[in-house]
Amino acid sequence: MSRTSLDLWVGIFVAIGIAALLFLSMKVGNLSAGSFSRSYSVEAEFDNIGGLKVRAPVKSAGVVVGRVSSINFDTQTYRAVVVLAMNEAFEFPKDTIATILTSGLLGEQYVGLEAGGDAAMLADGDRIRITQSAVVLEKLIGQFLFNKAAE
């Protein structure tokens, strides 16, 4: 094998390695090519969002149907306003229920949607009225210990 062909193979191997690292970093950062599809925005208000973060998935029946695009605080109602960027391919009824769930026991948090039965569908700028806040593990443990101490 000559020196030039060896250099060529090393270059190809390095290029494949860089491409693999770029692919993995995009997957870890939830920046896959499919996330740039057309979407519409829907808002949901929660009393407590726990550890929900921007770019967290929005799932329905285990399928990713959108992403959390922003999280704000409403100073009038003192609630968290979560804006969901929903994939245009998925439509949900207006009486859909949004819940903040956790993947596994200590995994990442995401927004879970349960479709309702309304004939009218959510549109860009609509608000999901029925929400359920995140279950905070520390609060549950504290309540359990307080109840055990009271017995």
Side-chain angles (χ1 to χ4, degrees):
M1 216 179 209
S2 68
R3 176 79 176 158
T4 55
S5 71
L6 182 64
D7 288 345
L8 177 67
W9 283 109
V10 169
I12 291 171
F13 180 74
V14 169
I16 291 171
I18 290 172
L21 285 175
L22 180 64
F23 174 77
L24 288 175
S25 65
M26 288 180 69
K27 281 295 189 186
V28 168
N30 290 328
L31 296 174
S32 62
S35 67
F36 297 112
S37 60
R38 296 173 48 103
S39 63
Y40 61 97
S41 294
V42 177
E43 291 183 349
E45 282 190 2
F46 295 96
D47 292 325
N48 187 344
I49 61 168
L52 188 70
K53 295 180 178 27
V54 174
R55 304 282 311 143
V58 177
K59 296 181 180 182
S60 182
V63 177
V64 176
V65 295
R67 296 266 175 209
V68 173
S69 63
S70 70
I71 300 172
N72 303 308
F73 184 73
D74 186 354
T75 56
Q76 303 298 321
T77 61
Y78 299 105
R79 298 181 79 194
V81 178
V82 178
V83 179
L84 311 174
M86 304 293 295
N87 189 329
E88 207 172 62
F90 304 106
E91 292 184 342
F92 288 91
K94 283 196 180 270
D95 61 346
T96 295
I97 302 170
T99 308
I100 298 178
L101 302 167
T102 305
S103 296
L105 185 60
L106 298 173
E108 72 171 349
Q109 291 190 314
Y110 65 95
V111 178
L113 298 180
E114 288 185 46
D118 198 347
M121 297 295 172
L122 288 170
D124 191 34
D126 282 350
R127 179 167 286 195
I128 296 175
R129 301 283 177 208
I130 307 168
T131 61
Q132 184 176 351
S133 295
V135 176
V136 181
L137 189 60
E138 292 84 6
K139 188 184 265 188
L140 284 176
I141 293 171
Q143 288 176 346
F144 176 74
L145 293 175
F146 180 73
N147 288 340
K148 283 296 183 185
E151 288 179 357

